[in-house]
Amino acid sequence: MQKRLNRSRNWSSPFQILYKMSGKIAIIGSGFSSLAASCYLAREGYEVSVFEKNATPGGRARQLKHLGFTFDMGPSWYWMPDIFERFFGDFEKDTADYYQLDRLDPAYKVFFADDTLTIGAGMDRICREFERLEPGSSSPLRVFMRRAKENYDIAISDIVYRPGHSPLELITPQTIRHIDRFFRSISGEVRRGIKNPKLLATLEFPSLFLGAKPEDTPAFYSFMNFADFGLGTWHPRGGMYEVVRGILSLAGSLGVHIATESPVDKIRVTHGQAVGLEVRGRFHPFDVVLSGADYHHTETLLDPGYRQYSTDYWESRVFAPSTLLFYVGFNRKLEGVEHHNLFFDADFEQHVTDIYDDPKWPVKPLFYANFPSVTDSGMAPGGCEAGFFLIPIAPGLEDTPELRSQYFDLILSRLHKQTGQNLGPNVLFKESFCVNDFREAYNAYKGNAYGLANTLRQTAFLRPGLRSKKVKNLFFTGQLTVPGPGVPPALISGKLVAELIQKKI
Ligand SMILES: Cc1cc2nc3c(=O)[nH]c(=O)nc-3n(C[C@H](O)[C@H](O)[C@H](O)COP(=O)(O)OP(=O)(O)OC[C@H]3O[C@@H](n4cnc5c(N)ncnc54)[C@H](O)[C@@H]3O)c2cc1C
């Protein structure tokens, strides 16, 4: 396919009009992967139009504002700052052109039934905290972190920027040298020399971002621990949505057109080739269709004969969890909490079993609490605190107002027990978001929150592909394809698919 090379050219002759038409690309959805792809493609001169079903762009990273409070509706952990820099760097910009980043110190606090653990910024402080809980644990931790860093370097330089076409992509001198790390689990890896269950839970927590049980996650993914302890936890002032705003601004400057409240109803295919989209009953012709909407949903926009994956295929996949979320305005400041807090004052193994092995609502869940106004005063009115609570649950669970309310009470009572503050009377408002909302808002399969888990059998070339095998000029991006769930992988996914469309990879 040809591309428009000169954005300012005058399209007057019939040949030039044809030339221009051959570079029209439609993108379904406006999550991070779609927005990233839109920038790369527009920069190359394609005419890019994004169709988003919701009223605001950003996908799972949308923002909720209410009564002077600001909430990120999805992602709140800004990890792997190098990937964000690399994205903006590809456009000769840097993050500081769009938002201000602060390194959080402490990065987060973990509440256990009888103690707390604070993860500071920097290995020396983290080692001191490990020593407090288990004397002698800092030296196996440092060994573990050396391997984690090696894995990070291999992942970033050798693996994640590959398109997932073939197993050969995974075979490099580095990966061969450390092949065992793909077949051992992260769960075994963290137990090499460390025994304290609180430290083990803290080390296993980052792999939960990958959407699978630590026992099913390859040891190689300890690179997430390097992202955590090594690279640190950052906060874009104003929240994660500032990153979306930054990419929207970049996309706008490159000429990307974004249409919100524009749900795509059908991908039209003629003679095996994608020819455009039907949006609210109107046909829009395009030369290439790229979807950043959930992969399963995108395939339902095609006639059955053009779908690559069957119902049985999707049923047999390990999906990352769904979540029960609350966005809460408190009319007071909280004490004893940090910006990020993990409530691990419950049985970690049991909760993991309730998500993956025997899907049901957990009796005593772990949960995550984010109070961004602890470090960023702009996130809540003066004297108030913005609270975001997340309970990971199995996708597809029954979701009712009664269940949500029951779990909100449970969160408040656990907060009371752990911090000594009875916050029930201080709740100004609460909004919730769960399985039914994920289905409704994002067309998410079984209401999943984070897409497809990164297990060994669902890594790289074993994930659904970036290019349709059945429809010419139809492409996919986002957390269900390569490299996987999370904001940094979504940015990488957008770059990979843009390169594939340009036939650079
Ligand atoms: C609660 C939660 C917490 C998270 N926390 C973190 C975190 O702390 N750090 C981190 O790095 N990652 C986190 N993640 C993961 C991260 O947010 C996602 O991996 C990433 O944002 C996914 O981007 P995406 O482009 O793949 O898809 P999405 O953001 O899902 O975008 C897909 C878009 O397609 C649109 N769409 C769907 N169907 C149609 C249609 N028919 N027509 C038009 N548009 C359509 C949807 O509305 C949506 O806007 C979190 C996710 C959730 C849900």
Side-chain angles (χ1 to χ4, degrees):
M1 194 190 58
Q2 294 184 27
K3 60 191 177 191
R4 275 198 310 143
L5 290 171
N6 185 345
R7 304 172 54 72
S8 59
R9 115 189 239 170
N10 177 1
W11 305 106
S12 50
S13 87
F15 293 113
Q16 285 172 329
I17 287 166
L18 269 177
Y19 186 48
K20 181 182 178 190
M21 285 297 290
S22 71
K24 279 183 71 177
I25 298 186
I27 302 187
I28 307 175
S30 65
F32 274 111
S33 59
S34 295
L35 293 179
S38 78
C39 293
Y40 286 107
L41 291 165
R43 183 190 59 186
E44 293 302 310
Y46 295 104
E47 192 178 321
V48 181
S49 302
V50 173
F51 294 85
E52 167 56 53
K53 73 184 275 290
N54 291 319
T56 51
R60 281 161 164 90
R62 284 180 303 156
Q63 188 180 59
L64 172 71
K65 276 187 180 275
H66 191 54
L67 298 178
F69 291 81
T70 301
F71 304 92
D72 284 309
M73 293 186 69
S76 53
W77 296 79
Y78 188 104
W79 275 9
M80 306 187 182
D82 50 330
I83 305 285
F84 293 85
E85 288 301 343
R86 192 156 162 177
F87 169 75
F88 286 108
D90 282 346
F91 300 89
E92 278 147 38
K93 301 276 181 198
D94 58 41
T95 54
D97 291 324
Y98 299 100
Y99 50 90
Q100 182 178 336
L101 268 181
D102 297 314
R103 183 164 183 178
L104 295 178
D105 188 12
Y108 56 95
K109 182 168 179 177
V110 194
F111 290 81
F112 295 101
D114 56 355
D115 201 356
T116 60
L117 177 85
T118 301
I119 300 298
M123 272 313 284
D124 289 345
R125 293 182 47 201
I126 296 170
C127 282
R128 276 201 296 280
E129 192 67 341
F130 268 58
E131 284 291 325
R132 183 178 67 79
L133 266 77
E134 183 182 337
S137 61
S138 64
S139 78
L141 174 67
R142 285 193 190 272
V143 174
F144 170 78
M145 288 303 292
R146 266 200 296 280
R147 279 197 299 272
K149 180 177 184 319
E150 267 170 24
N151 291 342
Y152 192 85
D153 293 341
I154 295 171
I156 302 305
S157 61
D158 282 358
I159 296 185
V160 293
Y161 284 94
R162 307 278 174 111
H165 288 334
S166 130
L168 297 176
E169 290 170 15
L170 296 181
I171 301 174
T172 72
Q174 289 293 343
T175 55
I176 288 173
R177 206 147 65 85
H178 301 297
I179 194 79
D180 58 312
R181 295 181 191 178
F182 289 88
F183 297 99
R184 281 188 284 110
S185 76
I186 188 85
S187 174
E189 182 76 359
V190 300
R191 282 169 175 72
R192 293 167 87 180
I194 298 176
K195 292 193 182 58
N196 183 301
K198 292 170 184 144
L199 300 181
L200 294 175
T202 307
L203 289 173
E204 284 185 336
F205 140 73
S207 69
L208 296 181
F209 274 126
L210 304 162
K213 283 166 51 172
E215 297 95 289
D216 294 339
T217 303
F220 179 72
Y221 283 103
S222 71
F223 72 73
M224 292 294 284
N225 294 88
F226 179 70
D228 177 359
F229 289 1
L231 298 175
T233 300
W234 298 75
H235 174 69
R237 190 101 34 107
M240 285 293 268
Y241 199 70
E242 291 308 308
V243 186
V244 175
R245 281 211 178 89
I247 303 180
L248 284 171
S249 158
L250 176 64
S253 70
L254 294 164
V256 174
H257 176 257
I258 298 183
T260 52
E261 297 186 274
S262 300
V264 175
D265 304 317
K266 194 165 175 62
I267 299 170
R268 207 185 276 182
V269 178
T270 304
H271 307 306
Q273 176 161 334
V275 293
L277 301 177
E278 289 175 24
V279 182
R280 293 192 184 282
R282 203 179 133 214
F283 176 65
H284 300 257
F286 284 98
D287 305 293
V288 171
V289 172
L290 163 62
S291 178
D294 279 26
Y295 209 116
H296 167 269
H297 166 70
T298 303
E299 291 234 310
T300 68
L301 301 175
L302 293 163
D303 288 335
Y306 289 125
R307 297 176 193 167
Q308 307 164 85
Y309 301 103
S310 65
T311 310
D312 287 350
Y313 171 85
W314 292 113
E315 273 300 317
S316 66
R317 296 300 88 183
V318 180
F319 266 80
S322 184
T323 50
L324 169 58
L325 303 168
F326 293 102
Y327 313 100
V328 187
F330 293 104
N331 67 3
R332 56 166 282 193
K333 295 302 280 180
L334 272 57
E335 282 150 28
V337 295
E338 300 294 345
H339 184 122
H340 294 291
N341 307 268
L342 300 171
F343 284 80
F344 282 7
D345 50 330
D347 187 343
F348 191 92
E349 300 291 327
Q350 182 58 49
H351 190 162
V352 167
T353 303
D354 294 340
I355 297 174
Y356 297 103
D357 301 333
D358 179 18
K360 60 176 184 302
W361 279 91
V363 175
K364 213 176 164 209
L366 313 178
F367 66 93
Y368 158 58
N370 173 235
F371 304 107
S373 45
V374 165
T375 61
D376 185 347
S377 59
M379 306 292 286
C384 296
E385 210 84 87
F388 163 102
F389 300 93
L390 181 158
I391 302 181
I393 55 171
L397 290 187
E398 181 193 20
D399 168 18
T400 64
E402 293 73 27
L403 277 161
R404 294 187 187 196
S405 160
Q406 182 187 322
Y407 278 88
F408 186 64
D409 292 346
L410 186 146
I411 284 174
L412 286 189
S413 87
R414 292 261 292 279
L415 265 177
H416 189 178
K417 194 165 165 208
Q418 288 292 326
T419 70
Q421 297 159 95
N422 176 16
L423 296 170
N426 301 107
V427 173
L428 276 175
F429 64 87
K430 73 164 195 295
E431 300 276 344
S432 62
F433 201 93
C434 195
V435 174
N436 293 345
D437 301 297
F438 279 104
R439 280 201 184 102
E440 169 74 18
Y442 308 122
N443 288 318
Y445 182 72
K446 292 189 176 177
N448 79 79
Y450 314 107
L452 207 56
N454 260 344
T455 60
L456 184 57
R457 291 196 188 139
Q458 295 183 173
T459 290
F461 66 100
L462 298 171
R463 295 178 75 78
L466 291 167
R467 184 208 307 267
S468 168
K469 293 184 207 79
K470 291 203 171 173
V471 179
K472 202 165 165 243
N473 288 355
L474 173 61
F475 297 84
F476 300 83
T477 185
Q479 58 179 3
L480 275 86
T481 173
V482 289
V487 176
L491 297 177
I492 295 170
S493 190
K495 177 174 181 157
L496 288 173
V497 80
E499 289 178 348
L500 193 62
I501 290 170
Q502 297 163 66
K503 298 192 169 61
K504 285 191 185 169
I505 49 177

